[in-house]
Amino acid sequence: MKAPKVWFFTILAFFTSCGSSEINDGNHSTTVDRSIVLEMESELSELNDEIIHLKDHFEFFLANRDSLLKFSDVGKYSFDGPFSTNTPKNSQKLSSVVILNTTPDYDAAMNNVLITNGMDSLFNQTFENYSFVAQVYFNAKDQVSRVYPAYDANSLLTPDLDLTTFNFYYEGDFQHNPTKGPVWIPDVYIDPAGRGWILSLIHPVLEDGELYAVLGIDITVDEIISRYIESKEGEYLIVNGKGDIVGGKAAAIEALSFPPLLNHVYIETILADNFRISDYNLFNSKNREVREMALSIILKKENHFFFKDEFSPKAAYAVPFTFLDWYLIEIETKTL
């Protein structure tokens, strides 16, 4: 039985009210505001129920494979090697389907494509119902991948990949996810389908008690920043529990002595194979006070840090997320 959503919002609202305390030492005065975190996590939490809904339908298809194979639409997809031939321009609400060269049994994998064709309409519904969702997909142990909406898989994927070696698969397996429920992948990562930096919610799919596939719902970091951060007053950034900058406003990032963090820069540098996430890690900053700020907020769990150096910002105020190992940090810059 699913827990009522009201419990999530009640608990989150409690922490919100507890965290909205004013800091005033004579030189600094601000209200630590959790409203951005509350808004973001309230919306994202709705996807937990959505991915369970998708999982239930998927497992129904697997449990009824013999009946579905008898009536499957064998002409729905055609393939050129590992890749379905439909393109994003003529997808007609189809997914991109791939059967990688690493599959142990191509014919069995193709049968699984046929019995899961019904996931396309479900993926479309999820995509249409949640405007902030970038893509919906599953990756299976037999090296079948189905991603909606369709993308240029032939150009972006290497056909010899092993899907089970990626975090969007193994973070859902029984070793990493013994509860076998929805899991938010703790770190953002670059999307193999070319959508930039991604935050993923995943869920295992079982067949006869064994892991068959992992479902995923992705949101781009660009969407998170534009939806929840850009419209707010103040200079905000989001960092994870390792100190990596997930994203934020340019002024906030530059105030901490980092170069601007733009999605196209991410993509270009990763394709050039010279990007290091450590370049945007607070603990690795060349600025001593930025490293001290990371220590105070992330390790000591303090909700503020006051800078002293002339060329540093004035202060930083932090709010932890509830179900992501993230921190929202507001940077107070000095007035000229």
Side-chain angles (χ1 to χ4, degrees):
M1 185 177 71
K2 289 185 282 189
K5 286 185 182 179
V6 67
W7 285 108
F8 175 85
F9 296 123
T10 302
I11 293 171
L12 196 55
F14 169 78
F15 284 115
T16 300
S17 62
C18 290
S20 298
S21 56
E22 188 169 325
I23 299 168
N24 192 339
D25 70 345
N27 296 316
H28 308 83
S29 180
T30 189
T31 299
V32 180
D33 184 8
R34 290 178 177 265
S35 64
I36 296 175
V37 174
L38 176 63
E39 177 188 1
M40 181 174 167
E41 293 202 320
S42 294
E43 282 200 295
L44 295 185
S45 69
E46 296 178 12
L47 296 179
N48 285 9
D49 287 342
E50 184 68 16
I51 204 167
I52 292 172
H53 170 74
L54 294 174
K55 181 268 302 183
D56 290 343
H57 280 81
F58 199 148
E59 291 182 347
F60 174 82
F61 293 154
L62 294 175
N64 293 274
R65 61 168 55 248
D66 293 339
S67 299
L68 290 172
L69 279 174
K70 292 178 182 178
F71 302 100
S72 61
D73 181 3
V74 295
K76 185 174 185 180
Y77 288 96
S78 59
F79 286 80
D80 181 8
F83 306 103
S84 62
T85 56
N86 60 297
T87 68
K89 291 183 179 180
N90 63 10
S91 66
Q92 298 176 339
K93 297 187 177 180
L94 298 180
S95 303
S96 285
V97 181
V98 179
I99 306 176
L100 292 166
N101 293 342
T102 47
T103 182
D105 187 333
Y106 183 87
D107 291 336
M110 181 59 76
N111 282 340
N112 285 334
V113 169
L114 295 177
I115 67 171
T116 58
N117 276 342
M119 294 302 297
D120 287 340
S121 60
L122 295 166
F123 285 176
N124 174 65
Q125 289 174 17
T126 300
F127 186 76
E128 294 294 333
N129 289 340
Y130 297 91
S131 61
F132 52 90
V133 166
Q135 58 192 9
V136 193
Y137 57 92
F138 74 77
N139 295 295
K141 68 178 183 180
D142 57 7
Q143 304 299 331
V144 172
S145 175
R146 184 186 295 267
V147 178
Y148 184 91
Y151 68 104
D152 190 3
N154 196 3
S155 298
L156 292 169
L157 288 190
T158 301
D160 295 324
L161 291 175
D162 179 358
L163 294 170
T164 65
T165 64
F166 288 85
N167 63 347
F168 49 72
Y169 185 92
Y170 66 72
E171 289 285 356
D173 66 25
F174 298 165
Q175 178 182 349
H176 295 85
N177 179 22
T179 63
K180 305 174 185 177
V183 174
W184 288 92
I185 295 181
D187 298 321
V188 296
Y189 61 94
I190 193 70
D191 174 35
R195 300 187 192 276
W197 286 89
I198 289 289
L199 171 67
S200 291
L201 173 66
I202 58 175
H203 199 300
V205 177
L206 308 185
E207 183 177 24
D208 298 327
E210 299 295 325
L211 180 67
Y212 169 68
V214 177
L215 278 162
I217 299 176
D218 286 350
I219 305 161
T220 66
V221 170
D222 264 3
E223 177 67 21
I224 291 170
I225 299 305
S226 63
R227 188 178 185 86
Y228 302 106
I229 302 295
E230 288 293 348
S231 63
K232 308 297 182 183
E233 291 187 9
E235 304 303 336
Y236 291 98
L237 71 154
I238 296 173
V239 302
N240 65 21
K242 298 177 182 177
D244 302 320
I245 297 177
V246 174
K249 292 188 177 182
I253 295 171
E254 292 177 40
L256 298 180
S257 305
F258 291 100
L261 190 57
L262 303 176
N263 197 53
H264 74 273
V265 175
Y266 272 144
I267 296 172
E268 289 171 3
T269 53
I270 285 173
L271 290 177
D273 198 29
N274 62 4
F275 177 82
R276 299 291 181 270
I277 190 101
S278 59
D279 292 342
Y280 288 90
N281 184 286
L282 300 181
F283 291 109
N284 295 337
S285 172
K286 296 178 181 178
N287 185 319
R288 173 186 56 82
E289 285 200 303
V290 172
R291 298 195 301 271
E292 291 177 358
M293 179 197 76
L295 178 68
S296 295
I297 290 173
I298 297 175
L299 298 184
K300 295 182 180 180
K301 308 301 180 185
E302 296 177 356
N303 64 358
H304 63 279
F305 180 84
F306 300 142
F307 295 90
K308 298 178 182 177
D309 289 350
E310 179 182 355
F311 297 103
S312 294
K314 188 175 181 181
Y317 306 96
V319 178
F321 283 72
T322 303
F323 62 81
L324 292 168
D325 186 20
W326 285 7
Y327 297 82
L328 177 70
I329 300 176
E330 182 176 7
I331 302 299
E332 183 183 4
T333 57
K334 293 176 180 175
T335 57
L336 299 178

